[in-house]
Amino acid sequence: MMSQSADLEAVRSYHHGDLRRAILESTLEIIDKQGLEAVSLRAVARRLGVSEAAPYHHFSGKQELLAVLAADAYRSFGECLTTAVGSAADDPFARLNALARAYIEYGLESRGRYRLMFGNHMVDLGEYEEVQVAGRPTRAILESVIAGCVGSAKVDAAAIENISWSLCHGLTSLIGESEIVFDGGSGDGERLIEVGISILIAGIRAHLGLPAAS
Amino acid sequence: MMSQSADLEAVRSYHHGDLRRAILESTLEIIDKQGLEAVSLRAVARRLGVSEAAPYHHFSGKQELLAVLAADAYRSFGECLTTAVGSAADDPFARLNALARAYIEYGLESRGRYRLMFGNHMVDLGEYEEVQVAGRPTRAILESVIAGCVGSAKVDAAAIENISWSLCHGLTSLIGESEIVFDGGSGDGERLIEVGISILIAGIRAHLGLPAAS
DNA sequence: GTCTATAGCGTGATAGAC
DNA sequence: GTCTATCACGCTATAGAC
């Protein structure tokens, strides 16, 4: 009986849990286009045609809403990276290459989610256990890929991990937030990512005393 | 006659231009400790013991206050980088090393200023011409240092610039915002920066087809 | 030239009615 | 599940005191 009028109901109102999903989607859209600072529960509510207090019945507040979105983002990000590494050739540096590419491309395509995970917002989303748990696999992938690269030597493994992360984050962040401007053609971004990963891998190989080519 | 009571006057009130400076200092302190989002003109005014509308007589609004601080930051940052490069040995990669170190150390020591310049706040400070002008030298230094490294070949000069910037920004950002956590001793941060610059330079040398050592 | 007082509006959050 | 108040606080603009 409920399924018969479900569609019509969904159009007219947000009963039965639809509002929660609508709020999540609408908020992510705002973060994508205008950034995290532009998020306002009241504006979201107005946009969805419900009262300004309605969102508080689905989330304890703005922080929790953002935390739920951040946890979702970490899960989706982790899956993306895992898939990319899994599809790569059976070579440590090929895996690192695939990981870095996937990281940067995900960050550029899902700007809002990336801002939620690694943006400099002063909302302490790390306090939420769900967010911490969701973010753990991401770090584990990087760790295992780098472990494969350094091999049994394990020289500066932690540092190399963080350097790889830093380059990916820096590139994603500067391109995504339009701090890097391209004056040439449309392929400049692609070329920049290619050169970046190439320099990263060559630098790590040199640091580990490995020959230049793979 | 005014200079005789200047000190006493300064304690009791912020006449004669002192309020402007006090607002700038107080705001920067807040950005340092709590981040850009925590800045509130009203709170600053209360903290300085003036009315909540007083700041508007020195700045047209919050944006302009932040823009003035950002321009100051760019000037100070540019001077710091110029000095560092000038003191470096007469070798292209030694200069790049000095530049990268100075960049990261400045960003970590002056967190607030760094957040103003390169943080992901959605305040369009780039719209202010003063900010644009103040930021230009910084980019010019990086350009000239990299130009020295690539030499006459000029292969991927722009990309190498942006990669160097990305690594420095990524490291500064992740360390400064405490996303990278150190489980070891207190020297871990220093070691990370050292390895990072070493990998960057080795990677660039390899990309340019130069021998490994300097 | 500098500051105070006040008012309009948007936002986060809560309590209680439907 | 949702709505209607309602409160506290933020940014901003204006009028007027010193």
Side-chain angles (χ1 to χ4, degrees):
Chain A
M1 49 196 269
M2 226 165 69
S3 57
Q4 295 176 351
S5 61
D7 279 89
L8 238 132
E9 277 294 310
V11 172
R12 293 216 326 272
S13 68
Y14 286 101
H15 284 250
H16 311 295
D18 274 39
L19 181 54
R20 184 187 158 91
R21 209 170 46 78
I23 291 172
L24 287 170
E25 287 172 3
S26 204
T27 303
L28 185 56
E29 204 176 321
I30 292 174
I31 302 176
D32 260 316
K33 291 184 194 155
Q34 306 170 257
L36 236 153
E37 296 82 353
V39 171
S40 141
L41 286 195
R42 300 175 87 109
V44 170
R46 279 195 300 269
R47 202 159 90 160
L48 295 175
V50 296
S51 92
E52 299 177 333
Y56 290 90
H57 294 277
H58 296 274
F59 307 95
S60 75
K62 189 178 181 175
Q63 267 216 338
E64 195 189 279
L65 166 59
L66 296 180
V68 170
L69 280 171
D72 282 350
Y74 274 116
R75 280 186 286 267
S76 148
F77 189 45
E79 284 172 25
C80 168
L81 298 185
T82 306
T83 303
V85 171
S87 316
D90 189 21
D91 170 81
F93 287 96
R95 273 196 286 270
L96 177 55
N97 191 324
L99 177 65
R101 276 207 96 78
Y103 183 110
I104 296 166
E105 281 168 7
Y106 183 98
L108 294 179
E109 280 161 19
S110 301
R111 229 175 17 151
R113 289 196 178 90
Y114 194 79
R115 283 172 171 158
L116 274 163
M117 295 187 284
F118 305 116
N120 296 343
H121 47 274
M122 295 295 104
V123 216
D124 286 357
L125 301 178
E127 297 298 320
Y128 291 80
E129 203 190 330
E130 190 193 359
V131 177
Q132 282 184 23
V133 171
R136 223 162 281 159
T138 296
R139 188 59 198 247
I141 300 166
L142 175 56
E143 221 166 294
S144 87
V145 168
I146 295 296
C149 293
V150 302
S152 56
K154 297 196 177 178
V155 187
D156 290 322
I160 294 176
E161 274 171 45
N162 286 324
I163 296 304
S164 305
W165 185 18
S166 294
L167 180 65
C168 291
H169 172 65
L171 259 176
T172 306
S173 185
L174 293 180
I175 296 176
E177 304 299 337
S178 304
E179 306 238 30
I180 288 179
V181 283
F182 300 107
D183 48 352
S186 60
D188 282 7
E190 173 54 33
R191 177 69 183 153
L192 177 57
I193 295 171
E194 196 179 309
V195 173
I197 298 178
S198 148
I199 287 179
L200 173 68
I201 289 182
I204 293 176
R205 293 187 69 94
H207 189 80
L208 293 173
L210 298 174
S214 180
Chain B
M1 48 198 269
M2 229 166 67
S3 58
Q4 296 176 350
S5 61
D7 279 89
L8 238 132
E9 277 294 311
V11 172
R12 294 213 328 270
S13 67
Y14 284 99
H15 284 250
H16 310 295
D18 275 38
L19 181 54
R20 186 187 157 91
R21 210 170 45 79
I23 291 172
L24 287 170
E25 288 172 1
S26 203
T27 303
L28 184 56
E29 204 176 321
I30 293 174
I31 302 176
D32 260 317
K33 291 183 192 156
Q34 306 168 258
L36 236 153
E37 296 83 352
V39 172
S40 140
L41 286 195
R42 298 177 87 107
V44 170
R46 281 196 299 269
R47 202 160 90 160
L48 295 174
V50 296
S51 91
E52 299 177 333
Y56 291 89
H57 294 277
H58 298 273
F59 307 95
S60 76
K62 190 178 180 174
Q63 268 217 338
E64 195 188 278
L65 166 59
L66 296 180
V68 170
L69 279 171
D72 282 350
Y74 274 116
R75 280 186 285 266
S76 147
F77 189 44
E79 285 172 24
C80 168
L81 298 185
T82 306
T83 304
V85 171
S87 316
D90 189 21
D91 170 82
F93 288 95
R95 273 197 286 271
L96 177 55
N97 191 325
L99 177 65
R101 277 206 96 78
Y103 183 110
I104 297 166
E105 282 168 7
Y106 183 98
L108 295 178
E109 280 161 21
S110 300
R111 229 174 18 151
R113 289 196 178 90
Y114 194 79
R115 283 172 172 159
L116 275 162
M117 294 186 286
F118 305 115
N120 295 343
H121 47 273
M122 294 296 103
V123 217
D124 287 358
L125 301 179
E127 297 299 320
Y128 291 81
E129 203 189 332
E130 189 193 359
V131 177
Q132 282 184 23
V133 171
R136 224 162 281 159
T138 296
R139 189 58 199 247
I141 299 166
L142 174 57
E143 222 167 295
S144 88
V145 168
I146 294 296
C149 293
V150 302
S152 56
K154 297 198 176 179
V155 187
D156 289 323
I160 294 176
E161 274 171 45
N162 286 323
I163 296 303
S164 305
W165 184 18
S166 293
L167 179 65
C168 290
H169 172 65
L171 260 177
T172 305
S173 185
L174 293 179
I175 297 176
E177 304 298 337
S178 304
E179 306 237 31
I180 288 180
V181 283
F182 300 108
D183 48 352
S186 59
D188 282 8
E190 173 54 33
R191 176 70 183 153
L192 177 56
I193 295 171
E194 196 179 309
V195 173
I197 298 178
S198 148
I199 287 179
L200 173 67
I201 289 182
I204 294 176
R205 292 187 69 94
H207 189 80
L208 292 173
L210 298 175
S214 180

